Amino acid sequence: MQILRDDSIGILGRVTGLLGSWRRLFLGAASLAVFIALWSLYSAWLHGDWPFAYRSWSQPAEYIPYPSEVLYAFVDSFTHRDPFTSLYMTSHIYASLKRMFFGFVLAFLVAVPLGLLMGRSANAEAIGKPLVELFRPIPPLAWVPIFLIALKLFWGPIAIVFLGIFFPILLNVMFGAKSVDPVLIDAARTLGAKRRDIFTKVVLPFTIPYMMTGIKVGIGVGWMCIVAAEMLGAVGGGVGLFIYNMAYQGTMYDRMYAGMLVIGLLSVLTTGAAGFLEQRLSRWMGMK
Amino acid sequence: MMTGVAMESKIIIAIAVAAVVVVGVVAAAVVLMSGGEGGSVKYITLAPKDMKANLASGQIDAYIAWEPFVSDSVVGDVGEVLMWSDEIMDDHPCCVVAVRTGFLSETSVNGTDLTNRFVRAHVDATEWMLDALADEAGANYTKLVEMAVQFTARNESVVKAAFVHIQFGYEMGSDFEEALKKFTDMYIDTNMTTEEKLDERGYESVSDFVSSYVDDFYLATAPNVAESATILNPDRPIKLGYLLGDLHQLAQFVAQDKTVLGTDKSMFEKYGLKVEAAVGAPFANGGAEMGGFAAGNVDIGYLGAPPTILQHLNAGIGTKIVAQANSEGSGLVVSAGSGITSLSDLENKTVATPGESSIQFLLLKIALEREGLDLEIKT
């Protein structure tokens, strides 16, 4: 299991000192600008607009609308009800966030204790590992039809998101609990710590950064699953349902991309919040 | 790394606080969720294949779908039909045969001629089916049921029950065009498509759009199509699109069957056609099949009228309607023993539909509006 850490930007930051954060901001903005410029060019090529004199491709130009059209559709989704579900984007976001929240809470409550147990007990690992390895690679999408029927319309989509978040947290916590430096444990034991103390004072704090990494990765995967979870039977809408409807029922690709943008932004915001919490936690625990 | 006892208690407090917050929010959300509303019929979107199981499990109180998904529940004693779609709109359009305009101008083969021949085979197959259905004691009826069982993977009793309410036919009369106009108007009313899109595709009005999108040239000239002793397109088969087990589209299955004519040739072959299932066929829904048209993977396809209309207008996918495949053949199913005997009993109940742009959804909406009821997404 790879542990993801944010070292890449750190190096630049250190080199340039105080100017580092500005530079980072500039580079970030520049990469977005280049992306949007390339996108505009590609769209122009498909549409046969300036600077291209002719329509270059047989595919309908609607497939890649201009960035401005997507931005317009994005704003429009908040100010007008969508043509299929008659809901505003805020309702879709609320519905998706609710699913993410329930899925996350469940995944957290199940994965953290399980991960700690499997990380600290060889027997537990021997029992759990085959099941984890068997179920981990199954795409949540594969479970959709049966979850919808077995777990019903409310819990079915949540269970899909749960699966996406569950495994990253479980594996990271397990890895963290396993990699506690034995020297720390010996030192605690020498100082007269009991098993319970070692667990609460050494293992648990040591695992928290790993857990936070698992949470950040898990939230990202959870958002990836939301379209699959909400494609069908989504009660009260959802951003995933919005994307599905725009793509399959309406072929309104500008709106479909707007829905994707919403997912991207939601993921940035939620993983950002987790990152912020991580920073706070590690500062509070005296690790930074 | 650790800073003594304070550290431990902080962590425990943090975890305790987090747990309390989590439990509190979950509880609050569950309480909020259970609050009911009044005044309308609620709907959710489900794939027709999942509807029967959801009706049986009590997740939904009713659903509207096409055959054989209606008879599936009826024969399985899970559901009862509250209303057939022809009771909502007599002879309403359903599945059509659409052709990709790019195929008509294909240069490696004569696309227009091949389309003409295809439509002729479709007409023959449909007439053969109508004759077979007219005489339930006949050998052809038995054969048709066999083919339907094979195509839909349903048992005989489901298929026989389903046949009763499907009106196979190819003609595109003025009623057909009027109904498509009504559907297009409804799409514009709900913003599923817009006047601007009509304009962008070069149509002046809804009726201008429908009359040019529905092209009856091929049907009109079908009687003149001659048989062909040889296959005219051996190297460039017609790529055929159709939906998974959709009984409405049985004509293409009949036209491909080599035993129907008793000459070792299928109806397609009789008119010199080599026809192959398109990449991706059978498609799960009409939207996906339109994707096949857009990508050039489908030349001629059977699908519902709504996706051809909406995706042609919204995404500019080059298709036109050249024949009808069937009309009617959908039904509103309520769970058996639910006591729902009229549309007004559906108030505040949950109905599953195949999607807001489907004919089934539009018909349900029309029927409910007559009763003064709204159709709203379940929240």
mmCIF file of all heavy atoms in Angstrom, chain A residues 60 62-63 83-84 98 101-102 105 152-154 201 233 235-236 248-252 284-285, chain B residues 7-8 10 22 29 33 43-45 59 190-192 201 294 310-311 314-315 355-357 378:
data_model
loop_
_atom_site.group_PDB
_atom_site.id
_atom_site.type_symbol
_atom_site.label_atom_id
_atom_site.label_comp_id
_atom_site.label_asym_id
_atom_site.label_seq_id
_atom_site.Cartn_x
_atom_site.Cartn_y
_atom_site.Cartn_z
ATOM 1 N N PRO A 60 -20.457 14.584 -33.748
ATOM 2 C CA PRO A 60 -21.175 15.815 -33.425
ATOM 3 C C PRO A 60 -20.351 16.713 -32.501
ATOM 4 O O PRO A 60 -19.736 16.245 -31.557
ATOM 5 C CB PRO A 60 -22.422 15.314 -32.699
ATOM 6 C CG PRO A 60 -22.602 13.924 -33.159
ATOM 7 C CD PRO A 60 -21.227 13.391 -33.442
ATOM 8 N N GLU A 62 -21.282 18.682 -30.397
ATOM 9 C CA GLU A 62 -21.854 18.818 -29.056
ATOM 10 C C GLU A 62 -21.089 18.000 -28.008
ATOM 11 O O GLU A 62 -21.226 18.237 -26.829
ATOM 12 C CB GLU A 62 -23.320 18.375 -29.049
ATOM 13 C CG GLU A 62 -24.297 19.445 -29.495
ATOM 14 C CD GLU A 62 -24.256 19.673 -30.991
ATOM 15 O OE1 GLU A 62 -23.532 18.934 -31.708
ATOM 16 O OE2 GLU A 62 -24.930 20.604 -31.452
ATOM 17 N N TYR A 63 -20.307 17.023 -28.480
ATOM 18 C CA TYR A 63 -19.600 16.173 -27.523
ATOM 19 C C TYR A 63 -18.643 16.965 -26.649
ATOM 20 O O TYR A 63 -18.467 16.660 -25.486
ATOM 21 C CB TYR A 63 -18.815 15.069 -28.242
ATOM 22 C CG TYR A 63 -19.692 13.968 -28.760
ATOM 23 C CD1 TYR A 63 -19.187 12.913 -29.492
ATOM 24 C CD2 TYR A 63 -21.054 13.999 -28.510
ATOM 25 C CE1 TYR A 63 -20.006 11.910 -29.959
ATOM 26 C CE2 TYR A 63 -21.879 13.007 -28.980
ATOM 27 C CZ TYR A 63 -21.353 11.960 -29.704
ATOM 28 O OH TYR A 63 -22.169 10.976 -30.161
ATOM 29 N N PRO A 83 -34.341 19.839 -16.328
ATOM 30 C CA PRO A 83 -35.536 19.452 -17.080
ATOM 31 C C PRO A 83 -36.064 18.062 -16.728
ATOM 32 O O PRO A 83 -37.232 17.779 -16.977
ATOM 33 C CB PRO A 83 -35.081 19.505 -18.536
ATOM 34 C CG PRO A 83 -33.610 19.606 -18.511
ATOM 35 C CD PRO A 83 -33.205 20.147 -17.184
ATOM 36 N N PHE A 84 -35.256 17.202 -16.178
ATOM 37 C CA PHE A 84 -35.730 15.839 -15.939
ATOM 38 C C PHE A 84 -36.353 15.688 -14.556
ATOM 39 O O PHE A 84 -37.490 15.279 -14.430
ATOM 40 C CB PHE A 84 -34.595 14.845 -16.152
ATOM 41 C CG PHE A 84 -34.135 14.840 -17.569
ATOM 42 C CD1 PHE A 84 -33.002 15.540 -17.943
ATOM 43 C CD2 PHE A 84 -34.879 14.205 -18.542
ATOM 44 C CE1 PHE A 84 -32.611 15.576 -19.263
ATOM 45 C CE2 PHE A 84 -34.492 14.242 -19.864
ATOM 46 C CZ PHE A 84 -33.351 14.931 -20.222
ATOM 47 N N LYS A 98 -25.511 13.776 1.350
ATOM 48 C CA LYS A 98 -26.131 12.922 2.357
ATOM 49 C C LYS A 98 -25.667 11.476 2.171
ATOM 50 O O LYS A 98 -25.290 10.806 3.130
ATOM 51 C CB LYS A 98 -27.645 13.024 2.212
ATOM 52 C CG LYS A 98 -28.393 12.633 3.465
ATOM 53 C CD LYS A 98 -29.838 13.073 3.380
ATOM 54 C CE LYS A 98 -30.556 12.367 2.259
ATOM 55 N NZ LYS A 98 -31.861 12.944 1.947
ATOM 56 N N PHE A 101 -22.113 11.210 3.167
ATOM 57 C CA PHE A 101 -21.971 11.303 4.608
ATOM 58 C C PHE A 101 -22.282 9.963 5.279
ATOM 59 O O PHE A 101 -21.488 9.443 6.059
ATOM 60 C CB PHE A 101 -22.898 12.397 5.148
ATOM 61 C CG PHE A 101 -22.893 12.492 6.641
ATOM 62 C CD1 PHE A 101 -21.850 13.120 7.300
ATOM 63 C CD2 PHE A 101 -23.912 11.938 7.393
ATOM 64 C CE1 PHE A 101 -21.825 13.187 8.676
ATOM 65 C CE2 PHE A 101 -23.897 11.991 8.775
ATOM 66 C CZ PHE A 101 -22.849 12.625 9.414
ATOM 67 N N PHE A 102 -23.416 9.403 4.944
ATOM 68 C CA PHE A 102 -23.787 8.116 5.541
ATOM 69 C C PHE A 102 -22.763 7.042 5.173
ATOM 70 O O PHE A 102 -22.344 6.255 6.026
ATOM 71 C CB PHE A 102 -25.179 7.679 5.069
ATOM 72 C CG PHE A 102 -26.299 8.350 5.814
ATOM 73 C CD1 PHE A 102 -26.868 9.513 5.347
ATOM 74 C CD2 PHE A 102 -26.783 7.801 6.989
ATOM 75 C CE1 PHE A 102 -27.892 10.132 6.036
ATOM 76 C CE2 PHE A 102 -27.817 8.416 7.684
ATOM 77 C CZ PHE A 102 -28.368 9.587 7.203
ATOM 78 N N VAL A 105 -19.531 7.701 7.173
ATOM 79 C CA VAL A 105 -19.642 7.392 8.604
ATOM 80 C C VAL A 105 -19.616 5.882 8.828
ATOM 81 O O VAL A 105 -18.884 5.373 9.674
ATOM 82 C CB VAL A 105 -20.937 8.012 9.188
ATOM 83 C CG1 VAL A 105 -21.209 7.467 10.572
ATOM 84 C CG2 VAL A 105 -20.810 9.519 9.217
ATOM 85 N N LYS A 152 -32.524 -1.904 -0.577
ATOM 86 C CA LYS A 152 -33.579 -0.929 -0.806
ATOM 87 C C LYS A 152 -33.024 0.415 -1.295
ATOM 88 O O LYS A 152 -31.826 0.627 -1.366
ATOM 89 C CB LYS A 152 -34.442 -0.721 0.445
ATOM 90 C CG LYS A 152 -34.890 -2.012 1.113
ATOM 91 C CD LYS A 152 -36.016 -2.660 0.331
ATOM 92 C CE LYS A 152 -36.253 -4.100 0.728
ATOM 93 N NZ LYS A 152 -37.038 -4.306 1.899
ATOM 94 N N LEU A 153 -33.965 1.292 -1.581
ATOM 95 C CA LEU A 153 -33.611 2.507 -2.307
ATOM 96 C C LEU A 153 -32.821 3.504 -1.470
ATOM 97 O O LEU A 153 -32.063 4.299 -1.998
ATOM 98 C CB LEU A 153 -34.885 3.174 -2.831
ATOM 99 C CG LEU A 153 -35.660 2.314 -3.822
ATOM 100 C CD1 LEU A 153 -37.013 2.915 -4.108
ATOM 101 C CD2 LEU A 153 -34.867 2.150 -5.105
ATOM 102 N N PHE A 154 -32.990 3.477 -0.156
ATOM 103 C CA PHE A 154 -32.257 4.440 0.658
ATOM 104 C C PHE A 154 -30.839 3.948 0.938
ATOM 105 O O PHE A 154 -29.858 4.662 0.703
ATOM 106 C CB PHE A 154 -32.999 4.722 1.963
ATOM 107 C CG PHE A 154 -32.289 5.723 2.831
ATOM 108 C CD1 PHE A 154 -32.217 7.060 2.445
ATOM 109 C CD2 PHE A 154 -31.681 5.334 4.010
ATOM 110 C CE1 PHE A 154 -31.550 7.984 3.222
ATOM 111 C CE2 PHE A 154 -31.007 6.262 4.801
ATOM 112 C CZ PHE A 154 -30.947 7.590 4.399
ATOM 113 N N LYS A 201 -2.026 4.708 23.825
ATOM 114 C CA LYS A 201 -1.033 5.780 23.867
ATOM 115 C C LYS A 201 0.017 5.683 22.771
ATOM 116 O O LYS A 201 0.676 6.661 22.455
ATOM 117 C CB LYS A 201 -0.327 5.791 25.230
ATOM 118 C CG LYS A 201 -1.238 6.213 26.361
ATOM 119 C CD LYS A 201 -0.502 6.170 27.671
ATOM 120 C CE LYS A 201 -1.450 6.307 28.843
ATOM 121 N NZ LYS A 201 -0.770 6.008 30.105
ATOM 122 N N GLY A 233 -32.778 4.668 -9.495
ATOM 123 C CA GLY A 233 -33.478 4.609 -8.226
ATOM 124 C C GLY A 233 -33.043 5.642 -7.216
ATOM 125 O O GLY A 233 -33.314 5.491 -6.039
ATOM 126 N N VAL A 235 -33.369 8.296 -4.951
ATOM 127 C CA VAL A 235 -34.469 9.029 -4.343
ATOM 128 C C VAL A 235 -34.000 10.442 -4.016
ATOM 129 O O VAL A 235 -32.951 10.622 -3.422
ATOM 130 C CB VAL A 235 -34.932 8.310 -3.060
ATOM 131 C CG1 VAL A 235 -35.960 9.141 -2.323
ATOM 132 C CG2 VAL A 235 -35.506 6.956 -3.416
ATOM 133 N N GLY A 236 -34.792 11.426 -4.435
ATOM 134 C CA GLY A 236 -34.427 12.803 -4.127
ATOM 135 C C GLY A 236 -33.306 13.346 -4.982
ATOM 136 O O GLY A 236 -32.699 14.351 -4.652
ATOM 137 N N TYR A 248 -27.663 10.356 -20.880
ATOM 138 C CA TYR A 248 -28.413 9.291 -21.550
ATOM 139 C C TYR A 248 -29.812 9.694 -21.991
ATOM 140 O O TYR A 248 -30.312 9.176 -22.969
ATOM 141 C CB TYR A 248 -28.477 8.047 -20.668
ATOM 142 C CG TYR A 248 -27.203 7.267 -20.722
ATOM 143 C CD1 TYR A 248 -26.278 7.332 -19.706
ATOM 144 C CD2 TYR A 248 -26.918 6.490 -21.843
ATOM 145 C CE1 TYR A 248 -25.089 6.625 -19.778
ATOM 146 C CE2 TYR A 248 -25.737 5.784 -21.934
ATOM 147 C CZ TYR A 248 -24.826 5.853 -20.896
ATOM 148 O OH TYR A 248 -23.664 5.161 -20.986
ATOM 149 N N GLN A 249 -30.451 10.560 -21.215
ATOM 150 C CA GLN A 249 -31.808 10.931 -21.622
ATOM 151 C C GLN A 249 -31.794 12.163 -22.512
ATOM 152 O O GLN A 249 -32.540 12.253 -23.467
ATOM 153 C CB GLN A 249 -32.678 11.210 -20.391
ATOM 154 C CG GLN A 249 -33.046 9.953 -19.642
ATOM 155 C CD GLN A 249 -34.335 10.163 -18.850
ATOM 156 O OE1 GLN A 249 -35.412 10.260 -19.406
ATOM 157 N NE2 GLN A 249 -34.204 10.236 -17.545
ATOM 158 N N GLY A 250 -30.943 13.114 -22.168
ATOM 159 C CA GLY A 250 -31.058 14.392 -22.857
ATOM 160 C C GLY A 250 -29.969 14.680 -23.860
ATOM 161 O O GLY A 250 -30.120 15.554 -24.698
ATOM 162 N N THR A 251 -28.837 13.936 -23.797
ATOM 163 C CA THR A 251 -27.643 14.305 -24.554
ATOM 164 C C THR A 251 -27.364 15.802 -24.467
ATOM 165 O O THR A 251 -27.053 16.448 -25.449
ATOM 166 C CB THR A 251 -27.720 13.899 -26.049
ATOM 167 O OG1 THR A 251 -29.050 14.035 -26.479
ATOM 168 C CG2 THR A 251 -27.209 12.521 -26.263
ATOM 169 N N MET A 252 -27.496 16.344 -23.267
ATOM 170 C CA MET A 252 -27.143 17.748 -23.055
ATOM 171 C C MET A 252 -25.748 17.724 -22.447
ATOM 172 O O MET A 252 -25.580 17.718 -21.236
ATOM 173 C CB MET A 252 -28.134 18.397 -22.102
ATOM 174 C CG MET A 252 -29.566 18.345 -22.622
ATOM 175 S SD MET A 252 -30.720 18.775 -21.314
ATOM 176 C CE MET A 252 -32.240 18.838 -22.242
ATOM 177 N N TRP A 284 -1.822 19.436 16.637
ATOM 178 C CA TRP A 284 -2.346 19.286 17.991
ATOM 179 C C TRP A 284 -1.630 18.152 18.720
ATOM 180 O O TRP A 284 -1.344 18.222 19.910
ATOM 181 C CB TRP A 284 -3.848 19.002 17.853
ATOM 182 C CG TRP A 284 -4.600 18.843 19.118
ATOM 183 C CD1 TRP A 284 -4.630 19.701 20.179
ATOM 184 C CD2 TRP A 284 -5.453 17.759 19.442
ATOM 185 N NE1 TRP A 284 -5.463 19.226 21.133
ATOM 186 C CE2 TRP A 284 -5.986 18.033 20.720
ATOM 187 C CE3 TRP A 284 -5.847 16.589 18.770
ATOM 188 C CZ2 TRP A 284 -6.876 17.172 21.349
ATOM 189 C CZ3 TRP A 284 -6.733 15.753 19.395
ATOM 190 C CH2 TRP A 284 -7.236 16.037 20.686
ATOM 191 N N MET A 285 -1.287 17.123 17.944
ATOM 192 C CA MET A 285 -0.596 15.996 18.554
ATOM 193 C C MET A 285 0.899 16.227 18.637
ATOM 194 O O MET A 285 1.650 15.350 19.058
ATOM 195 C CB MET A 285 -0.880 14.726 17.749
ATOM 196 C CG MET A 285 -2.327 14.270 17.879
ATOM 197 S SD MET A 285 -2.729 13.022 16.660
ATOM 198 C CE MET A 285 -1.612 11.738 17.145
ATOM 199 N N MET B 7 -2.125 14.054 26.235
ATOM 200 C CA MET B 7 -2.305 13.579 24.864
ATOM 201 C C MET B 7 -3.402 12.534 24.784
ATOM 202 O O MET B 7 -4.330 12.629 23.981
ATOM 203 C CB MET B 7 -0.957 12.967 24.433
ATOM 204 C CG MET B 7 -0.898 12.542 23.011
ATOM 205 S SD MET B 7 -0.839 13.983 21.956
ATOM 206 C CE MET B 7 -2.373 13.792 21.140
ATOM 207 N N GLU B 8 -3.276 11.546 25.672
ATOM 208 C CA GLU B 8 -4.214 10.431 25.640
ATOM 209 C C GLU B 8 -5.645 10.905 25.863
ATOM 210 O O GLU B 8 -6.563 10.564 25.115
ATOM 211 C CB GLU B 8 -3.830 9.406 26.708
ATOM 212 C CG GLU B 8 -4.762 8.209 26.719
ATOM 213 C CD GLU B 8 -4.651 7.439 28.021
ATOM 214 O OE1 GLU B 8 -3.889 7.879 28.911
ATOM 215 O OE2 GLU B 8 -5.317 6.425 28.149
ATOM 216 N N LYS B 10 -6.862 13.812 25.469
ATOM 217 C CA LYS B 10 -7.333 14.637 24.349
ATOM 218 C C LYS B 10 -7.882 13.768 23.233
ATOM 219 O O LYS B 10 -8.941 14.033 22.675
ATOM 220 C CB LYS B 10 -6.172 15.478 23.796
ATOM 221 C CG LYS B 10 -6.007 16.813 24.498
ATOM 222 C CD LYS B 10 -4.901 17.594 23.825
ATOM 223 C CE LYS B 10 -4.596 18.897 24.536
ATOM 224 N NZ LYS B 10 -3.419 19.560 23.960
ATOM 225 N N VAL B 22 -21.485 12.415 15.229
ATOM 226 C CA VAL B 22 -21.868 11.509 14.147
ATOM 227 C C VAL B 22 -23.237 10.886 14.426
ATOM 228 O O VAL B 22 -24.146 10.929 13.592
ATOM 229 C CB VAL B 22 -20.787 10.413 13.979
ATOM 230 C CG1 VAL B 22 -21.351 9.199 13.276
ATOM 231 C CG2 VAL B 22 -19.595 10.977 13.219
ATOM 232 N N ALA B 29 -30.775 13.159 10.584
ATOM 233 C CA ALA B 29 -31.037 12.942 9.163
ATOM 234 C C ALA B 29 -32.139 11.913 8.970
ATOM 235 O O ALA B 29 -33.014 12.077 8.128
ATOM 236 C CB ALA B 29 -29.759 12.488 8.459
ATOM 237 N N MET B 33 -35.561 12.554 7.120
ATOM 238 C CA MET B 33 -35.908 11.738 5.959
ATOM 239 C C MET B 33 -37.353 11.250 6.005
ATOM 240 O O MET B 33 -38.010 11.135 4.993
ATOM 241 C CB MET B 33 -35.026 10.485 5.901
ATOM 242 C CG MET B 33 -33.606 10.701 5.492
ATOM 243 S SD MET B 33 -33.499 11.168 3.775
ATOM 244 C CE MET B 33 -34.359 9.767 3.033
ATOM 245 N N TYR B 43 -42.348 9.660 -8.076
ATOM 246 C CA TYR B 43 -41.749 8.677 -8.976
ATOM 247 C C TYR B 43 -40.265 8.526 -8.704
ATOM 248 O O TYR B 43 -39.627 9.417 -8.144
ATOM 249 C CB TYR B 43 -41.974 9.066 -10.444
ATOM 250 C CG TYR B 43 -41.061 10.163 -10.939
ATOM 251 C CD1 TYR B 43 -39.797 9.868 -11.455
ATOM 252 C CD2 TYR B 43 -41.441 11.497 -10.885
ATOM 253 C CE1 TYR B 43 -38.951 10.869 -11.895
ATOM 254 C CE2 TYR B 43 -40.608 12.503 -11.316
ATOM 255 C CZ TYR B 43 -39.359 12.185 -11.826
ATOM 256 O OH TYR B 43 -38.521 13.170 -12.250
ATOM 257 N N ILE B 44 -39.746 7.380 -9.071
ATOM 258 C CA ILE B 44 -38.304 7.178 -9.123
ATOM 259 C C ILE B 44 -37.989 6.543 -10.467
ATOM 260 O O ILE B 44 -38.876 6.036 -11.147
ATOM 261 C CB ILE B 44 -37.777 6.254 -8.002
ATOM 262 C CG1 ILE B 44 -38.447 4.878 -8.072
ATOM 263 C CG2 ILE B 44 -37.994 6.868 -6.636
ATOM 264 C CD1 ILE B 44 -37.705 3.832 -7.296
ATOM 265 N N THR B 45 -36.722 6.583 -10.852
ATOM 266 C CA THR B 45 -36.300 5.987 -12.113
ATOM 267 C C THR B 45 -35.689 4.615 -11.837
ATOM 268 O O THR B 45 -34.846 4.483 -10.960
ATOM 269 C CB THR B 45 -35.250 6.883 -12.790
ATOM 270 O OG1 THR B 45 -35.815 8.185 -12.942
ATOM 271 C CG2 THR B 45 -34.862 6.333 -14.141
ATOM 272 N N GLN B 59 -40.657 -1.825 -2.326
ATOM 273 C CA GLN B 59 -39.950 -0.553 -2.481
ATOM 274 C C GLN B 59 -40.772 0.459 -3.260
ATOM 275 O O GLN B 59 -40.652 1.650 -3.049
ATOM 276 C CB GLN B 59 -38.630 -0.782 -3.239
ATOM 277 C CG GLN B 59 -37.551 -1.303 -2.366
ATOM 278 C CD GLN B 59 -37.231 -0.321 -1.270
ATOM 279 O OE1 GLN B 59 -36.622 0.697 -1.511
ATOM 280 N NE2 GLN B 59 -37.663 -0.608 -0.067
ATOM 281 N N THR B 190 -41.045 21.117 -20.762
ATOM 282 C CA THR B 190 -40.263 20.780 -19.576
ATOM 283 C C THR B 190 -38.775 21.054 -19.784
ATOM 284 O O THR B 190 -37.951 20.656 -18.967
ATOM 285 C CB THR B 190 -40.440 19.295 -19.210
ATOM 286 O OG1 THR B 190 -40.207 18.517 -20.378
ATOM 287 C CG2 THR B 190 -41.827 19.015 -18.683
ATOM 288 N N ASN B 191 -38.424 21.717 -20.918
ATOM 289 C CA ASN B 191 -37.030 22.078 -21.200
ATOM 290 C C ASN B 191 -36.116 20.902 -21.492
ATOM 291 O O ASN B 191 -34.903 21.049 -21.417
ATOM 292 C CB ASN B 191 -36.414 22.853 -20.019
ATOM 293 C CG ASN B 191 -36.780 24.305 -20.087
ATOM 294 O OD1 ASN B 191 -36.943 24.841 -21.180
ATOM 295 N ND2 ASN B 191 -36.928 24.935 -18.942
ATOM 296 N N MET B 192 -36.691 19.735 -21.791
ATOM 297 C CA MET B 192 -35.812 18.624 -22.163
ATOM 298 C C MET B 192 -35.174 18.924 -23.513
ATOM 299 O O MET B 192 -34.109 18.432 -23.839
ATOM 300 C CB MET B 192 -36.580 17.308 -22.215
ATOM 301 C CG MET B 192 -36.940 16.794 -20.830
ATOM 302 S SD MET B 192 -37.642 15.149 -20.886
ATOM 303 C CE MET B 192 -38.633 15.183 -19.407
ATOM 304 N N ARG B 201 -31.100 23.010 -35.589
ATOM 305 C CA ARG B 201 -31.119 21.876 -36.520
ATOM 306 C C ARG B 201 -31.816 22.231 -37.824
ATOM 307 O O ARG B 201 -32.030 21.368 -38.675
ATOM 308 C CB ARG B 201 -31.821 20.662 -35.900
ATOM 309 C CG ARG B 201 -31.300 20.211 -34.569
ATOM 310 C CD ARG B 201 -29.885 19.685 -34.604
ATOM 311 N NE ARG B 201 -29.348 19.733 -33.255
ATOM 312 C CZ ARG B 201 -28.130 20.142 -32.912
ATOM 313 N NH1 ARG B 201 -27.293 20.542 -33.835
ATOM 314 N NH2 ARG B 201 -27.743 20.171 -31.666
ATOM 315 N N ALA B 294 -24.525 7.634 -33.197
ATOM 316 C CA ALA B 294 -23.622 8.789 -33.256
ATOM 317 C C ALA B 294 -22.211 8.352 -33.618
ATOM 318 O O ALA B 294 -21.501 9.041 -34.344
ATOM 319 C CB ALA B 294 -23.624 9.520 -31.918
ATOM 320 N N LEU B 310 -35.151 13.274 -29.008
ATOM 321 C CA LEU B 310 -34.385 14.138 -28.107
ATOM 322 C C LEU B 310 -32.924 14.235 -28.509
ATOM 323 O O LEU B 310 -32.343 15.317 -28.523
ATOM 324 C CB LEU B 310 -34.467 13.597 -26.677
ATOM 325 C CG LEU B 310 -35.630 14.093 -25.848
ATOM 326 C CD1 LEU B 310 -35.561 13.501 -24.459
ATOM 327 C CD2 LEU B 310 -35.610 15.614 -25.773
ATOM 328 N N GLN B 311 -32.323 13.101 -28.833
ATOM 329 C CA GLN B 311 -30.890 13.143 -29.099
ATOM 330 C C GLN B 311 -30.594 13.714 -30.475
ATOM 331 O O GLN B 311 -29.533 14.285 -30.683
ATOM 332 C CB GLN B 311 -30.281 11.749 -28.905
ATOM 333 C CG GLN B 311 -30.564 11.244 -27.504
ATOM 334 C CD GLN B 311 -29.506 10.282 -27.004
ATOM 335 O OE1 GLN B 311 -28.441 10.148 -27.579
ATOM 336 N NE2 GLN B 311 -29.800 9.614 -25.907
ATOM 337 N N ASN B 314 -31.081 17.511 -29.512
ATOM 338 C CA ASN B 314 -30.129 18.068 -28.546
ATOM 339 C C ASN B 314 -28.680 17.905 -28.964
ATOM 340 O O ASN B 314 -27.865 18.788 -28.716
ATOM 341 C CB ASN B 314 -30.328 17.414 -27.175
ATOM 342 C CG ASN B 314 -31.580 17.917 -26.491
ATOM 343 O OD1 ASN B 314 -32.144 18.919 -26.912
ATOM 344 N ND2 ASN B 314 -32.007 17.233 -25.460
ATOM 345 N N ALA B 315 -28.361 16.760 -29.553
ATOM 346 C CA ALA B 315 -26.957 16.506 -29.854
ATOM 347 C C ALA B 315 -26.676 16.470 -31.352
ATOM 348 O O ALA B 315 -25.553 16.249 -31.769
ATOM 349 C CB ALA B 315 -26.502 15.191 -29.214
ATOM 350 N N GLY B 355 -37.706 6.547 -16.899
ATOM 351 C CA GLY B 355 -36.973 7.797 -17.117
ATOM 352 C C GLY B 355 -37.911 8.878 -17.612
ATOM 353 O O GLY B 355 -38.920 8.580 -18.254
ATOM 354 N N GLU B 356 -37.562 10.122 -17.330
ATOM 355 C CA GLU B 356 -38.476 11.234 -17.607
ATOM 356 C C GLU B 356 -38.739 11.453 -19.088
ATOM 357 O O GLU B 356 -39.722 12.072 -19.451
ATOM 358 C CB GLU B 356 -37.933 12.529 -16.989
ATOM 359 C CG GLU B 356 -37.935 12.543 -15.470
ATOM 360 C CD GLU B 356 -36.670 11.945 -14.883
ATOM 361 O OE1 GLU B 356 -35.890 11.309 -15.631
ATOM 362 O OE2 GLU B 356 -36.446 12.112 -13.669
ATOM 363 N N SER B 357 -37.831 10.989 -19.948
ATOM 364 C CA SER B 357 -38.049 11.235 -21.371
ATOM 365 C C SER B 357 -38.785 10.073 -22.041
ATOM 366 O O SER B 357 -39.118 10.161 -23.212
ATOM 367 C CB SER B 357 -36.708 11.481 -22.076
ATOM 368 O OG SER B 357 -35.903 10.325 -21.981
ATOM 369 N N LYS B 378 -39.530 11.429 -6.104
ATOM 370 C CA LYS B 378 -39.594 11.074 -4.688
ATOM 371 C C LYS B 378 -38.389 11.671 -3.958
ATOM 372 O O LYS B 378 -37.265 11.597 -4.442
ATOM 373 C CB LYS B 378 -39.571 9.547 -4.553
ATOM 374 C CG LYS B 378 -39.796 9.044 -3.143
ATOM 375 C CD LYS B 378 -39.662 7.520 -3.138
ATOM 376 C CE LYS B 378 -39.586 6.952 -1.750
ATOM 377 N NZ LYS B 378 -40.860 6.905 -1.043
#
